Amino acid sequence: MTGKKRTSKIKSMMKYFSEQLLAPDSSEFTKENADLRKRLRAFVNQANENQRKLILFESLEIEIIQFDSFVNLLYLLTEKYRNVFSLDVVTIALIDTNQEIRSILNDDGVDINKLDKIIFLENNDFFASFFKNGEKPYFGQIDNKARKVLFPSSGGNPSSVALIPLVRHNKLIGSLNLRSYDISRFVYGGVSDFIEHFGAVASVCLENAVLFGQVQRSSMTDALTGIKNRRFLDEKLPIVLSNAMHSDDAISFCLLDIDRFKTVNDTYGHATGDLVLKQVAKTISSAIEPSFLFARFGGEEFAIAFTRKSLSDTKLIAESIRKKIEETNIMDSSGEPIRLTVSIGVKHISSNDIKNENSHINFIFKAADDALYRAKENGRNGVEIDNDDSCQQ
């Protein structure tokens, strides 16, 4: 066979085999090739999906790092996370042994009872069965008892969950809880790199929010009595006035002064005077509602502000406080009782009379102070109401 014929035959054979290889389902090779292409497409799609998730995670991380308030951070970690990743429910469980987190939120004017996506736990015992491997998330299903703790406001539909431990300095501070009604969404052994990273970022942000809240609380707390101070009142009262103005609520302001407190200090010493201040603060705290603003105004003066009470209700509240303090028993070093009384000046005003928040605060202070002065002049141990009829509605 000549070289020319041999070359022609080889080309014919190559053409035949090429046609056989490229023909659909014509050989095992073609089938394997199709399988490889299918797997490659799946890998590419997964890579694209991972890239999409990464972009979403990074965008949300930037938002939570730049949070402007504790309650905003909680919103981003629950509602925003739920919307971005198409989840059915997202909650946060926070270990709050001494109720400090709840106190911080309360100081920010947050109604804890309305935070249905935030769960407060007294300790970390609940998580013992979920986080057995340290900081690894839990994927899978949970029983009804656990569901009622972590997802109290959602139903008992079949679902899968991802519980992400929130850890700082090797200490569990809570969990970010994701729930999907797709039972295959979160399964045991699932990939958790993105979720673990996000949990670490969320942990840092939550810790920072708590630390900032602690500093704020400390700066607005009276060191002696443990109640709020004048700075707290100056910051929060404009907010209360603004809310009253927009919701058409009345507002009441009471200024209290311990009668003859200088005499107590001069007679029994400053240590006893401090004891009197602490006892008066404790007595007032027990006589008012948790929603009331209550602060040490300065020296032996205390201030209380509250809304949604009529003038007659305000009088009853002030009189109840006066009576409770009068009935308080404090003993001197020799066991003799020290008689305590307070004089109270009251200003009650409706939202219809609020024209300018800042100037009106000064007006309220002065009106209550004038009423307090009259209570002193009238023999102390009494309650006087500001006599400006135009504001007493």
Side-chain angles (χ1 to χ4, degrees), residues 211-269:
L211 290 174
F212 180 76
Q214 289 172 335
V215 171
Q216 286 288 94
R217 289 201 78 209
S218 177
S219 68
M220 295 185 183
T221 300
D222 178 58
L224 176 64
T225 62
I227 65 172
K228 301 304 177 186
N229 58 19
R230 175 68 181 269
R231 179 181 175 182
F232 173 85
L233 191 70
D234 289 343
E235 181 172 310
K236 299 300 180 182
L237 192 55
I239 299 173
V240 173
L241 280 169
S242 178
N243 291 340
M245 179 176 62
H246 287 98
S247 57
D248 197 27
D249 289 327
I251 184 169
S252 303
F253 183 78
C254 303
L255 198 57
L256 303 83
D257 184 271
I258 302 175
D259 295 327
R260 298 186 174 87
F261 182 72
K262 184 176 183 303
T263 301
V264 172
N265 273 333
D266 292 344
T267 304
Y268 304 103

Side-chain angles (χ1 to χ4, degrees), residues 26-45:
S26 62
S27 70
E28 189 67 28
F29 179 79
T30 303
K31 184 178 179 181
E32 290 181 3
N33 186 42
D35 288 341
L36 287 173
R37 287 176 180 274
K38 183 178 179 181
R39 290 169 63 186
L40 180 60
R41 281 195 298 269
F43 282 132
V44 171
N45 290 339

